[in-house]
Amino acid sequence: MAGGTDRPARRAAVVAVIAAMAAMRPAAAETLAGALALAYQNNPQLNSQRAIVRQQDEAVPQALSGYRPRVTGTANIGEQFTWQVTGGGPVDIKQRFYTQPRSVGAQVQQTLFNGFQTANRTRAAESQVSAARETLRVIEQQVLLDAATNYMNVLRDTAILEVQRSNVRVLGETLRQTRDRFNVGEVTRTDVAQAQAQLAAGQSQLLGAESNLVTSKAAYRRVVGIEPGKLAPGSPVDRLSPRTLPAAIAEGEAMNPSVTAAMYGVDVAILQAKVSEGALYPVVTLTGSVQRSHDVTGNIPEQFQALGTLAVTVPIYQGGAEYSTIRQSKELVGQRRLDLATNRDQARANVVQAWGQLEAAKAQIQAAQEQVTASEVALNGVREEARVGQRTTLDVLNAQQALVNARVNLVTAQRDRVVASYTLLFNVGRLGPQTLGLPTSIYDPMVHYQQVRDAWGGVRIPDGR
């Protein structure tokens, strides 16, 4: 059963595993960096978040509008009929007037003081913009991590599929040899049945591997935006991560975008509380208006008026709603601070977990490589012993399955090693296109912000729509 014809099948299995991990090296192969660049440019979730940031940018000019004057124009025209009796003496005078009163005017109103509400609203809007940018960083890094994960999933599942195909070929050859030996009386029908069962199991594993690869390709298409072609092997990014666990924890607690977004959330809540307190202050406004009227009455054919007013409005009591709003805002500040503490604790836990997974993945690769080597030696020995009658067919089949499992474990460990390095980079807040050096243009949210911040008017957005 395990004579010279076994050696070509064994060599073919080894070659298949090597080809599964390295056959993606042609010049036209897609690279991990290229896939990440495509996801960075085309992922709809990421582009949607960029649109959200651009929407948030508009909150700043809206807040700044409180510093600017409000100008209104009026125009009216009508028809008026008047009948009146004047005099009071022995003779009354009756008069009828038919006029067409019309006027045009303009009013300018400028708020001079409103309890610092405009200043605080502007600062709050700027903090909201900063928080939105940090949320964008969260989505950006998550998309890049998803792209790297799915890239490596496709590589892993492609390699596992090749391992299972090779296993089916070897099991098929084993079944053929077992039948030949059964025909000459060297083994029993039980050995043939065992070989048939193992082949059926291998075929089932092959179908499962094919299904997993289809699923991984679909996930890759969803994140990256294109179907995966021939993928080049991915490599870890340990060189970009902190060198020690304490350094990684410190950076994660300070630079993770979820933490920095929560920090800006605290600033926004504090400023909103100050805006609420501004409702207790007086409001000072300066108003100027001009109006030109024609045919006001029968005796006044034309009239021009100009008015300037300085008004001070002092809130005394407005039902208590403003006091409730202030208390509510202060509670929100406390909540935001607790949210910040929660995000820091979560960031710390994620960094420690990612660090542990990375270290475990490194050790698993070495163990898996030793497992593959030992399984190959064991399979060769069992086959030689089976050839001289010291081992059964079942022993050979079990050794073959152990080798397949070892090769699958090695492929999985190599995938986990790369993904864990990207996960650590994500949790410390460094998984960005600049750090990775992706071959793509970098989206800068500051460009749109500067385009709209000081705009006094206009309905077109910067891209022309």
Side-chain angles (χ1 to χ4, degrees):
M1 160 177 170
T5 55
D6 293 335
R7 302 182 188 276
R10 186 166 64 250
R11 285 196 295 269
V14 174
V15 171
V17 175
I18 297 174
M21 299 303 297
M24 296 87 170
R25 291 187 178 274
E30 298 174 22
T31 65
L32 179 52
L36 296 180
L38 286 174
Y40 180 79
Q41 290 293 340
N42 302 325
N43 185 271
Q45 181 187 9
L46 182 52
N47 285 325
S48 173
Q49 191 64 37
R50 289 166 180 163
I52 291 175
V53 174
R54 292 194 294 270
Q55 294 173 45
Q56 189 61 54
D57 289 344
E58 296 290 351
V60 176
Q62 291 169 15
L64 287 172
S65 67
Y67 287 122
R68 299 165 187 164
R70 299 179 180 273
V71 182
T72 56
T74 60
N76 59 73
I77 185 171
E79 294 186 359
Q80 178 176 318
F81 174 77
T82 305
W83 182 83
Q84 66 183 17
V85 179
T86 60
V91 179
D92 293 333
I93 301 174
K94 298 180 180 180
Q95 295 177 308
R96 290 182 176 85
F97 300 100
Y98 177 78
T99 59
Q100 287 185 315
R102 52 199 183 277
S103 65
V104 294
Q107 177 177 289
V108 179
Q109 186 178 63
Q110 175 67 59
T111 300
L112 302 180
F113 180 76
N114 62 354
F116 308 105
Q117 293 186 65
T118 299
N120 289 322
R121 283 195 183 101
T122 301
R123 292 167 59 197
E126 291 171 341
S127 294
Q128 287 172 335
V129 168
S130 297
R133 291 175 186 169
E134 294 305 303
T135 302
L136 174 61
R137 283 185 61 214
V138 173
I139 301 301
E140 178 182 282
Q141 295 194 74
Q142 186 62 61
V143 166
L144 292 176
L145 177 60
D146 290 345
T149 300
N150 286 297
Y151 185 99
M152 295 306 302
N153 287 349
V154 173
L155 280 178
R156 176 200 61 195
D157 293 340
T158 300
I160 290 177
L161 179 59
E162 289 302 317
V163 169
Q164 297 297 349
R165 283 174 177 167
S166 174
N167 181 47
V168 168
R169 287 194 295 268
V170 172
L171 291 175
E173 179 63 19
T174 300
L175 176 60
R176 186 191 65 78
Q177 293 178 1
T178 304
R179 282 172 173 166
D180 291 343
R181 295 182 66 192
F182 172 74
N183 291 334
V184 298
E186 293 183 5
V187 296
T188 66
R189 187 175 298 278
T190 300
D191 295 299
V192 176
Q194 290 171 339
Q196 288 175 327
Q198 196 68 19
L199 175 59
Q203 291 171 336
S204 176
Q205 292 172 348
L206 174 60
L207 293 174
E210 291 175 344
S211 175
N212 291 338
L213 180 58
V214 170
T215 301
S216 295
K217 286 183 175 181
Y220 180 96
R221 171 68 176 79
R222 176 183 59 83
V223 176
V224 178
I226 63 171
E227 293 291 339
K230 293 183 178 180
L231 305 184
S235 58
V237 287
D238 295 349
R239 68 188 186 283
L240 305 176
S241 300
R243 298 300 181 188
T244 63
L245 178 57
I249 292 174
E251 187 166 341
E253 291 180 332
M255 300 304 296
N256 186 291
S258 296
V259 174
T260 51
M263 293 171 62
Y264 285 116
V266 173
D267 295 339
V268 171
I270 292 173
L271 292 166
Q272 287 176 338
K274 292 182 179 180
V275 171
S276 299
E277 292 172 349
L280 302 178
Y281 288 79
V283 177
V284 181
T285 57
L286 177 64
T287 304
S289 63
V290 293
Q291 184 173 6
R292 186 181 185 89
S293 305
H294 296 271
D295 207 5
V296 181
T297 67
N299 298 325
I300 306 176
E302 186 173 346
Q303 179 177 283
F304 177 81
Q305 291 179 320
L307 177 66
T309 305
L310 180 65
V312 179
T313 303
V314 181
I316 298 176
Y317 185 71
Q318 299 171 325
E322 66 276 23
Y323 299 107
S324 175
T325 302
I326 292 171
R327 296 193 301 270
Q328 184 183 46
S329 300
K330 290 181 178 179
E331 290 292 347
L332 181 61
V333 173
Q335 178 195 340
R336 291 290 183 261
R337 285 175 174 157
L338 293 172
D339 290 343
L340 174 59
T342 300
N343 277 277
R344 280 181 173 150
D345 290 342
Q346 187 62 57
R348 177 187 177 89
N350 290 341
V351 169
V352 172
Q353 181 182 9
W355 188 277
Q357 290 175 340
L358 180 58
E359 293 301 313
K362 293 177 182 177
Q364 286 170 353
I365 288 179
Q366 182 177 356
Q369 289 172 336
E370 294 175 355
Q371 182 185 8
V372 169
T373 301
S375 296
E376 288 174 345
V377 173
L379 177 59
N380 292 336
V382 169
R383 281 173 170 165
E384 292 298 326
E385 292 171 0
R387 187 174 62 83
V388 297
Q390 296 179 349
R391 292 281 186 166
T392 65
T393 300
L394 182 60
D395 292 331
V396 176
L397 294 173
N398 289 338
Q400 170 65 23
Q401 186 60 47
L403 177 58
V404 170
N405 293 340
R407 288 169 175 165
V408 170
N409 290 340
L410 176 58
V411 170
T412 302
Q414 290 170 335
R415 173 265 181 198
D416 292 344
R417 168 78 171 85
V418 176
V419 173
S421 68
Y422 277 88
T423 302
L424 178 59
L425 208 61
F426 168 81
N427 285 303
V428 299
R430 292 190 185 183
L431 189 58
Q434 300 94 331
T435 304
L436 297 175
L438 299 183
T440 182
S441 58
I442 306 301
Y443 179 81
D444 184 3
M446 183 63 77
V447 173
H448 179 268
Y449 175 78
Q450 294 294 348
Q451 289 172 332
V452 301
R453 185 184 189 280
D454 296 314
W456 281 54
V459 296
R460 291 185 178 275
I461 59 179
D463 67 4
R465 287 179 290 157

